[in-house]
Every structure is written in structure tokens, then in C-alpha cells.
Amino acid sequence: MGDSEDDGKPNRKRAALAVLPFLALGLADVAFVVLWGLKPIMGLAVLPPILFVSALAWVAFRGGFINSRIDDRDDVA
């Protein structure tokens, strides 16, 4: 079971690639807040929500619970 077998199931690498652009945008936002001249504490205030949402999105993509919910809906019908 290697990376060459892509049967549509999510994995860690695909999850990281999906979340990486959003994490980069969030970190760029923190950098702009600090470089804009606001206090660094303001940049640190927005950092935890950015990291939390990125981690939550990574878990969602890695776990594939969205696909399993769709599969469950097909089983009911």
C-alpha cells in the first residue's frame, strides 16, 4: 500500500497539500499585521485561530469523514 495506489482515499500528504495554501495565507496575514506597524501582540492574537482552523482542516481532509458521510448516505438509499 504505497503512494502509487490512489483509490480516492485521503492521506496525510494530500491533506497537507490541501491545507498548506490556507495556512500560508494566515501566516502572511500575521506578518502583514506586524509589519504594518501594529503591536506584535495583535499578530499573536490572530495566530492561534489560524493554526487551530488549519489543524482542524488537516484532520478533516486526512480522516476523510466527508467522504464517509457521502458513502453513508448512499447506503441508506
Side-chain angles (χ1 to χ4, degrees):
M1 196 180 284
D3 288 337
S4 62
E5 296 179 11
D6 188 19
D7 55 355
K9 295 191 180 202
N11 59 23
R12 292 180 184 145
K13 183 179 177 183
R14 289 179 63 193
L17 290 175
V19 173
L20 189 62
F22 300 106
L23 179 62
L25 284 172
L27 294 178
D29 178 47
V30 172
F32 283 133
V33 165
V34 172
L35 292 175
W36 196 15
L38 297 176
K39 295 179 182 177
I41 194 72
M42 295 305 292
L44 290 176
V46 297
L47 187 61
I50 291 168
L51 295 177
F52 175 74
V53 170
S54 296
L56 191 62
W58 182 79
V59 168
F61 278 108
R62 180 186 56 94
F65 68 85
I66 294 174
N67 289 337
S68 66
R69 288 180 61 117
I70 292 171
D71 292 342
D72 290 343
R73 195 175 305 158
D74 292 339
D75 292 341
V76 172

